[in-house]
Amino acid sequence: MLDNISILLQAPIFAVDLLVQGLLIGGIFVLAAYGLALVWGVMNVKNLAQGDMVILGGYVAYQCTLWGIHPILALPIAFVVLFVLGWGVYATIIRRVVDRDMFTSLLATFGLSLLIQQALNLRFGPEVKIAEAGFGTFDIGDLSIPAIRFVGLGLAAILAICIVLFMRNSRMGQAIRATSQDPRAARVLGINTDQVYAFTYALNAAICGAAGVLVAMIWNIQPFYGLVHSIRAFIIVTAAGLGNLPGVIVAGFGLGVWENYSGFIFGAEFAVAAVVGLLVVVLMVRLFQMYRLRQVVR
Amino acid sequence: MRFLKMDLRAATIAAALTASLGLAAAPAEAKVDGDTIILGSAISLTGKYSTNGIHAQNGYELGVKVINDNGGVVVGGKSYKLKIVYYDDESTPARGAQLAERLISQDGVKYMLGPYSSGLTKAIAPVTEKYKIPMVEAEGASRSLFTQGYRYLFAVLSTSEQYLASSIELAAEIAKKNGKKPSDVKVAMAFENDPFSLDVRAGVVDDAKKFGMKIVIDDKLPRDLSDMTSTLTKVKALKPDLLVISGHSKGAATAARQIAELKISTPMIAMTHCEAAKIISKFGAGATEGILCPTQWAETLSYKDDLFGTAAEYDALFKKSFEGYKNVPYQAAQATAAVMVWKDAFERANSFDSEALRDAIADTDMNTFYGGIKFSPAGNNVAKPMVLRQIQDGNLNVVAPLKWASSEARHPRQPKY
């Protein structure tokens, strides 16, 4: 471990390499986490199928490459496909659990996650798949960085900006925000909360689908890979605090960087463990902050 | 009267129970049904191992078909046909063990063929051992299968610790040829944290130690591997002479892709599962040039037998028999070899007694299109080496061991990124 740290001190170029690579993948983490924060915050549904929806989006990209469509063009396709699918899932499953206790929604979305995994396995088989974009590598001095990572971050940023603008300015965006603040009051004021929920869930699925396209272009996908993406999204949202959008962005990028550094220093097997470790630290800091806050109130 | 009625009912139930027990007992004789010898296998026809499970099943079926077409199995002067009863283990070990139990205790199968993967074999071996049923398996390579003292388990394939050990030997040879000492070679290792890959690692570590090589990176990759950036950045920093990787198909796909993306210039790279991950067609001949890939079997090897002919002839026959195969996976070839072991054992034992058959299998010493088969007391095949192929201009050419090599190893590798 000390050897690895000394490499970073002796040749800082590798520290820069890890930092840049981490930031570039962080953008994708932010997307899926933002979707989760939306569903969690507005509907109080903990969507365990989050990562599986990401993977599903990846398979849309893969299927598009089979049809000869470039994976970048698959991004709007996946967005629309997953939006429709998300609406369907809401109408058939989520609508029935949205007012129930936490475990019902956890169980329902866990079942959904299994369903997606097995359906993908049945259709595409268990082997890993990729959607090759063929952008090559950028050479900046001694750094070699896959161009697709820059493209991925750019697309993620454009998408994120669009969503933020939509939430801020559109009628539906306002309705979503109103519902998340107080669903009863929103209903009294004539907002069709059922429709808001459906839209929110569908939007989350669409965001996941878009993130999945980026995942399939940058890494690889396999029907059972959803869990890691779910875990990352949950960690980011928890670390950021619910309803904290800037927090989600910082936590997402931070997670990407931290994963890379801890993989380098502790070894690849501890990358995820280091992330969970970090979460524990964040939660403990939060707890102490809250203690202090309570004392002040008292 | 009422008591009588009850007695009658009890008697009926008792009779029904006896009858059902009798029925259940009847198939226990089904090990040989008329002129058919019945073999059993629980194998992954669905679930995450289904691709390879089906390759293995095709291999079994081709073995059975060719043996039956060529006079079957002769026991006691009479010719018998082979037939395999399959159950789908859904790629889950618990289900595999359950189905093995069902094959043996309900269906009366006395001769087993293995499932796909080391994990499933590990789940099934205790069951076959319990019932003292010999099992010839072709798809479980984990070293730990052969350290449990199993008496009825036999594997036709080379065990996992041999997968990449040959690359260490090759690196040592090349170092000597270049006027360097083998102990100067720096090795970087990245292995998935699963039983198979850790066995592969153990073999590499043993061999590296033998030559006094220095291991500069020893990373374990997570099971849901999709990013190796941090490990490969370390490779860039430490510039090893040899990089060895094992993490099933996903490991090979991830590594091949990111090695090209990050322009890794290590002169020698060896990884398992190149073929299953289809790295040449996915990432191009230029990016994968010079990568070394171990395989259990290749159609270019000069192994042969009387039933299938040469490895190349088996390859042609397999492609003709099953649609959709451009390359014949070694999983299929070794499955066929396992059926051949059974035929050979039946004929030498000249009996259907499972204990006599177990001893006959233990004494196996045969040459097949798949390579030599001779079992150690632990049950693994010691007659067949692992073969190392190198990607050369988009083709997989055998470069080691030298005895079977079809071309010379290219060093250092010269990829076009």
Side-chain angles (χ1 to χ4, degrees):
Chain A
M1 193 180 97
L2 287 175
D3 290 354
N4 294 332
I5 296 174
S6 78
I7 298 170
L8 292 183
L9 295 177
Q10 282 162 22
I13 183 75
F14 294 112
V16 177
D17 198 357
L18 290 172
L19 180 73
V20 175
Q21 304 262 16
L23 286 175
L24 291 175
I25 53 169
I28 300 165
F29 297 171
V30 170
L31 274 187
Y34 180 69
L36 182 72
L38 200 66
V39 169
W40 194 340
V42 177
M43 307 163 69
N44 199 24
V45 167
K46 282 107 197 134
N47 189 26
L48 285 184
Q50 192 76 2
D52 302 286
M53 286 174 169
V54 171
I55 297 299
L56 193 58
Y59 275 100
V60 173
Y62 171 70
Q63 182 63 52
C64 284
T65 58
L66 293 186
W67 285 331
I69 302 169
H70 193 275
I72 295 258
L73 299 176
L75 197 108
I77 300 175
F79 193 88
V80 174
V81 169
L82 268 284
F83 187 89
V84 174
L85 199 85
W87 200 291
V89 167
Y90 175 81
T92 47
I93 303 169
I94 307 297
R95 196 160 66 89
R96 288 162 223 281
V97 301
V98 80
D99 299 325
R100 304 281 190 83
D101 60 278
M102 188 177 81
F103 290 104
T104 318
S105 75
L106 280 179
L107 270 182
T109 51
F110 181 61
L112 180 65
S113 145
L114 290 181
L115 198 72
I116 295 174
Q117 285 172 15
Q118 296 302 336
L120 287 175
N121 192 24
L122 210 61
R123 170 69 184 83
F124 294 100
E127 297 303 329
V128 288
K129 301 280 191 257
I130 49 165
E132 191 64 58
F135 286 140
T137 305
F138 263 141
D139 291 313
I140 313 161
D142 286 343
L143 296 184
S144 306
I145 295 169
I148 184 64
R149 296 200 170 191
F150 287 106
V151 177
L153 182 66
L155 290 172
I158 293 171
L159 196 67
I161 292 167
C162 290
I163 295 163
V164 169
L165 289 177
F166 172 82
M167 292 297 276
R168 202 170 280 172
N169 301 325
S170 74
R171 193 90 188 122
M172 183 51 102
Q174 285 170 352
I176 290 174
R177 282 187 291 142
T179 311
S180 89
Q181 277 171 14
D182 191 336
R184 266 182 67 185
R187 231 170 287 153
V188 170
L189 291 170
I191 292 173
N192 182 349
T193 49
D194 194 42
Q195 211 179 359
V196 167
Y197 286 158
F199 189 89
T200 310
Y201 197 82
L203 183 64
N204 168 45
I207 295 170
C208 286
V213 175
L214 302 179
V215 167
M217 285 196 290
I218 293 175
W219 298 310
N220 48 33
I221 46 169
Q222 201 249 3
F224 305 101
Y225 274 5
L227 187 66
V228 212
H229 296 282
S230 291
I231 291 175
R232 278 199 191 110
F234 271 89
I235 287 178
I236 292 171
V237 175
T238 315
L242 210 52
N244 179 1
L245 182 58
V248 167
I249 294 172
V250 172
F253 283 111
L255 191 78
V257 173
W258 177 243
E259 252 194 60
N260 260 354
Y261 273 104
S262 46
F264 189 94
I265 294 168
F266 308 117
E269 74 266 39
F270 293 116
V272 177
V275 168
V276 179
L278 189 70
L279 177 73
V280 173
V281 173
V282 170
L283 288 179
M284 276 168 66
V285 171
R286 280 273 166 72
L287 197 68
F288 288 127
Q289 278 174 342
M290 271 197 317
Y291 275 141
R292 219 179 303 145
L293 207 69
R294 271 185 212 149
Q295 274 163 359
V296 172
V297 173
R298 212 181 283 154
Chain B
M1 262 318 264
R2 218 170 138 208
F3 285 111
L4 187 65
K5 239 187 201 167
M6 273 190 75
D7 274 353
L8 262 177
R9 203 180 294 163
T12 322
I13 291 168
L17 272 176
T18 327
S20 67
L21 277 176
L23 278 177
E29 307 302 319
K31 55 187 178 177
V32 181
D33 186 9
D35 65 346
T36 308
I37 299 171
I38 293 171
L39 304 167
S41 174
I43 199 152
S44 306
L45 304 177
T46 59
K48 61 180 173 179
Y49 298 139
S50 55
T51 316
N52 285 326
I54 289 166
H55 292 334
Q57 189 192 30
N58 289 343
Y60 286 151
E61 282 305 306
L62 187 61
V64 166
K65 185 176 176 296
V66 171
I67 289 169
N68 288 349
D69 290 351
N70 286 282
V73 178
V74 183
V75 181
K78 189 182 164 194
S79 168
Y80 292 85
K81 299 254 179 279
L82 287 176
K83 188 186 161 206
I84 306 172
V85 179
Y86 298 101
Y87 284 125
D88 175 16
D89 63 30
E90 298 157 20
S91 308
T92 43
R95 187 93 182 111
Q98 212 178 15
L99 290 171
E101 187 102 35
R102 176 169 169 178
L103 277 166
I104 297 167
S105 61
Q106 281 189 32
D107 299 349
V109 168
K110 295 271 183 261
Y111 322 114
M112 290 283 282
L113 285 162
Y116 177 75
S117 86
S118 298
L120 267 300
T121 311
K122 246 176 223 175
I124 290 176
V127 179
T128 49
E129 207 64 21
K130 181 173 90 180
Y131 289 103
K132 299 191 172 15
I133 299 294
M135 173 160 79
V136 181
E137 63 108 343
E139 315 288 343
S142 176
R143 178 156 78 162
S144 52
L145 279 165
F146 310 99
T147 53
Q148 312 291 320
Y150 288 142
R151 217 176 150 253
Y152 296 87
L153 177 74
F154 300 92
V156 299
L157 71 178
S158 303
T159 43
S160 45
E161 76 275 12
Q162 299 172 43
Y163 270 62
L164 285 172
S166 45
S167 68
I168 296 285
E169 224 156 282
L170 189 64
E173 268 172 37
I174 288 171
K176 270 188 227 159
K177 214 162 67 182
N178 295 341
K180 282 182 8 187
K181 280 186 289 184
S183 57
D184 291 339
V185 174
K186 286 190 287 179
V187 185
M189 311 192 298
F191 290 104
E192 189 179 335
N193 213 352
D194 79 319
F196 168 79
S197 297
L198 291 182
D199 278 351
V200 179
R201 179 183 172 279
V204 169
V205 171
D206 282 354
D207 267 36
K209 215 179 269 169
K210 202 169 77 190
F211 290 109
M213 294 176 180
K214 192 171 177 235
I215 294 169
V216 291
I217 299 173
D218 182 9
D219 266 17
K220 312 246 173 23
L221 306 171
R223 270 176 66 167
D224 36 31
L225 172 75
S226 54
D227 192 6
M228 279 181 67
T229 309
S230 54
T231 303
L232 291 177
T233 309
K234 239 184 284 182
V235 170
K236 270 207 265 180
L238 295 169
K239 297 196 172 47
D241 303 296
L242 167 64
L243 168 62
V244 284
I245 300 163
S246 170
H248 300 272
S249 315
K250 59 183 179 299
T254 309
R257 177 181 207 171
Q258 298 197 326
I259 282 168
E261 280 182 344
L262 300 173
K263 299 190 175 173
I264 300 297
S265 56
T266 310
M268 192 171 165
I269 297 177
M271 62 173 77
T272 62
H273 295 86
C274 305
E275 204 175 1
K278 300 193 180 88
I279 60 170
I280 304 175
S281 59
K282 266 185 193 155
F283 309 109
T288 53
E289 170 68 26
I291 291 178
L292 294 161
C293 310
T295 182
Q296 292 276 0
W297 177 82
E299 68 280 7
T300 52
L301 292 165
S302 50
Y303 302 141
K304 65 176 182 184
D305 62 55
D306 295 337
L307 206 57
F308 287 94
T310 62
E313 281 165 348
Y314 174 84
D315 185 75
L317 177 68
F318 191 92
K319 283 177 187 158
K320 211 174 77 184
S321 309
F322 299 99
E323 268 179 36
Y325 281 99
K326 275 194 194 130
N327 291 303
V328 175
Y330 65 73
Q331 286 85 356
Q334 60 207 23
T336 306
V339 183
M340 292 175 75
V341 169
W342 267 119
K343 171 189 155 70
D344 179 61
F346 274 118
E347 293 185 339
R348 274 187 296 108
N350 209 17
S351 150
F352 293 116
D353 175 58
S354 43
E355 205 55 36
L357 279 162
R358 186 247 153 234
D359 293 342
I361 296 171
D363 291 338
T364 300
D365 186 359
M366 60 197 282
N367 286 312
T368 70
F369 75 93
Y370 172 68
I373 300 175
K374 187 176 164 66
F375 300 111
S376 77
N380 57 320
N381 183 5
V382 286
K384 182 188 82 68
M386 206 62 201
V387 181
L388 204 57
R389 292 190 289 181
Q390 187 172 38
I391 300 177
Q392 299 180 339
D393 307 318
N395 299 313
L396 279 162
N397 297 333
V398 175
V399 294
L402 287 174
K403 193 179 163 194
W404 312 107
S406 61
S407 31
E408 204 182 328
R410 291 180 188 170
H411 185 87
R413 61 189 287 267
Q414 273 160 346
K416 288 174 213 76
Y417 295 140

